[in-house]
Amino acid sequence: MIWTALVVCLLIIAFFALAAILQYADNKKTAQHVLTYFAKNRVYSSLYILHNDQPVLEYNSNKVMPLASTVKLILAVEYAKQAAHGLINPETLVSLNDVERYYIPGTDGGAHSSWKYDLKDYLENSNEVTLDEIARGMIQFSSNACTEYIFELLGGDRINASLAELGMLNHTSIFPISSAMLASMYVHDKEGLEGKRLIKRMREMSQEEYMSYACILHNILKNESDSATIKTLNRKESFKRSIQKLESERLPSGTTKEYASLMNKINSATYFSPDVQKILDRLVGRQPSAKSQYTRIGFKGGTTLFVVTSAMYGCKKNGETIEIAAFVNNSTGTENLWLRNKFDDFLATMMRDDEFRNKVIEKLASIAN
């Protein structure tokens, strides 16, 4: 018994020591390592760069790939359009309870909690927030609950109609992606399927059926005040890696070419009407530092265990413009942890360092061709 306990203790120590070593190695990785990953994993990656409105790199850029939260840019555009046209009022007050009906604990990396923490002083005196604040929670904090509320407000038909209006013809349909996280357990309970049988059922169902379950669950959450469905379906089994892989594969998908082109439209400040542009600048844009070479920047990213995506734009003080979209969809997810931590740095380094951006273009263009 003593020797068994000793062996177990040694194995535990070895496990945590290995984890610490791997974490240390991951922390040492840089934008250069992300470039190396793209070069060695073309099948999993895609990158498109526009410079002064001209494409300078097309690396697997027409490959349709899952988007994760980067898809929320489409909701931001439709929100801005409806607000500018007077169909919705950004200053309308909404009960926080109506937003939190859609909150599924443990599924957004703390994004919703971070949004609420940012509002903590305001929420001490009120349980209501403006529509614009909810839209900010969707884009700047990536709150899934805020996204579901905005989805319901705008309407799925109008959101999907925006895709054609923006020329994003390769984009798949957008649906309530957070509610969809409950779909596997909903089918589990409804049809009495478990384990491999459940995985097989979820894998073989059509995308249309999967989206219909997402919409059913979205409507259930909208009409519940006690989160009963979330409490029932958001259980340990739903966080299994096999389930999360299925959910990633089912996400709305698009191409880096179309998302960089969308960022180009926003960055131009002329494609949309002034009223729409003002709202997009407020939601998607970020304030450059005083020392920055940029007068305007903006971005949105998203991640799952298997997907890392990001789209970014910037306009320099000299008028030079750059838009970048980069996607990774690794079916094994073995390297996604460090990629998630270094992805934004990869894009930011390309934005601020012409030499590094040219290096990326040269290296990946030679592979693409």
Side-chain angles (χ1 to χ4, degrees):
M1 289 292 293
I2 295 176
W3 283 107
T4 301
L6 181 60
V7 169
V8 171
C9 288
L10 289 174
L11 287 173
I12 292 173
I13 292 170
F15 173 81
F16 282 105
L18 178 61
I21 291 169
L22 291 174
Q23 181 66 50
Y24 178 80
D26 285 351
N27 289 339
K28 291 292 184 181
K29 288 187 165 112
T30 65
Q32 175 61 48
H33 289 91
V34 181
L35 171 56
T36 300
Y37 178 89
F38 269 74
K40 291 183 176 180
N41 296 276
R42 186 182 180 192
V43 68
Y44 297 141
S45 55
S46 174
L47 181 62
Y48 190 83
I49 303 176
L50 287 162
H51 182 216
N52 291 333
D53 302 324
Q54 299 301 313
V56 292
L57 178 64
E58 300 185 48
Y59 184 72
N60 228 10
S61 59
N62 287 313
K63 183 179 177 68
V64 179
M65 301 174 73
L67 293 160
S69 288
T70 300
V71 75
K72 295 170 185 177
L73 285 167
I74 308 301
L75 279 74
V77 169
E78 181 59 25
Y79 172 85
K81 287 180 180 178
Q82 292 195 23
H85 294 154
L87 299 176
I88 57 175
N89 181 356
E91 297 306 312
T92 297
L93 290 174
V94 177
S95 169
L96 185 61
N97 295 335
D98 290 340
V99 178
E100 301 223 289
R101 292 174 191 265
Y102 301 107
Y103 175 58
I104 306 175
T107 61
D108 70 353
H112 187 70
S113 297
S114 295
W115 172 64
K116 286 174 62 179
Y117 182 79
D118 189 66
L119 293 172
K120 65 182 187 304
D121 292 340
Y122 175 82
L123 292 175
E124 284 181 359
N125 301 310
S126 175
N127 194 48
E128 294 182 321
V129 292
T130 64
L131 278 181
D132 222 44
E133 187 54 62
I134 298 170
R136 189 177 79 94
M138 172 180 71
I139 295 297
Q140 297 184 16
F141 290 84
S142 215
S143 162
N144 287 338
C146 289
T147 306
E148 294 272 319
Y149 186 89
I150 294 294
F151 183 95
E152 175 64 26
L153 173 76
L154 303 178
D157 289 345
R158 270 307 314 153
I159 292 167
N160 282 292
S162 271
L163 295 172
E165 293 165 5
L166 292 166
M168 303 177 79
L169 303 181
N170 291 315
H171 207 292
T172 64
S173 295
I174 300 172
F175 55 91
I177 58 175
S178 181
S179 296
M181 295 179 190
L182 302 174
S184 293
M185 292 302 100
Y186 184 77
V187 172
H188 174 288
D189 293 357
K190 182 172 180 282
E191 301 184 15
L193 300 175
E194 296 183 0
K196 292 181 180 180
R197 292 176 63 219
L198 175 63
I199 297 298
K200 184 174 185 293
R201 170 75 171 96
M202 297 304 297
R203 187 173 296 282
E204 291 180 352
M205 74 168 52
S206 68
Q207 183 69 2
E208 288 70 24
E209 184 180 8
Y210 183 79
M211 291 190 297
S212 73
Y213 277 124
C215 292
I216 288 170
L217 287 159
H218 173 85
N219 287 326
I220 290 173
L221 301 189
K222 177 182 70 175
N223 293 305
E224 279 186 349
S225 59
D226 59 358
S227 301
T229 298
I230 291 174
K231 292 172 183 175
T232 299
L233 300 179
N234 186 42
R235 52 187 188 257
K236 185 178 180 180
E237 189 176 352
S238 67
F239 290 89
K240 285 184 176 179
R241 191 177 181 86
S242 57
I243 296 293
Q244 293 193 56
K245 186 172 186 296
L246 281 169
E247 291 169 353
S248 282
E249 292 169 352
R250 294 287 190 174
L251 287 168
S253 301
T255 68
T256 53
K257 184 173 184 178
E258 291 182 344
Y259 269 82
S261 298
L262 172 60
M263 298 313 254
N264 176 260
K265 290 177 173 65
I266 299 173
N267 199 22
S268 72
T270 58
Y271 178 85
F272 297 104
S273 72
D275 288 340
V276 171
Q277 184 68 40
K278 183 178 179 181
I279 297 169
L280 288 173
D281 287 343
R282 188 166 70 234
L283 295 178
V284 184
R286 302 292 191 274
Q287 182 64 43
S289 69
K291 296 181 180 180
S292 174
Q293 59 187 306
Y294 285 89
T295 59
R296 182 169 61 249
I297 57 173
F299 61 90
K300 183 74 189 86
T303 65
T304 72
L305 281 179
F306 306 93
V307 171
V308 189
T309 62
S310 191
M312 185 175 290
Y313 67 80
C315 180
K316 293 185 177 182
K317 293 175 180 177
N318 63 5
E320 184 180 351
T321 60
I322 301 170
E323 296 87 25
I324 304 172
F327 299 168
V328 167
N329 178 26
N330 187 333
S331 60
T332 64
T334 52
E335 297 190 82
N336 277 23
L337 180 59
W338 75 263
L339 277 171
R340 289 200 299 268
N341 293 333
K342 302 299 178 181
F343 215 69
D344 287 345
D345 181 55
F346 175 58
L347 269 71
T349 303
M350 283 192 284
M351 295 284 285
R352 68 172 177 264
D353 187 336
D354 293 349
E355 183 177 344
F356 180 73
R357 184 173 67 253
N358 290 333
K359 181 180 179 179
V360 171
I361 293 169
E362 181 180 355
K363 187 175 185 67
L364 297 185
S366 66
I367 297 170
N369 297 327

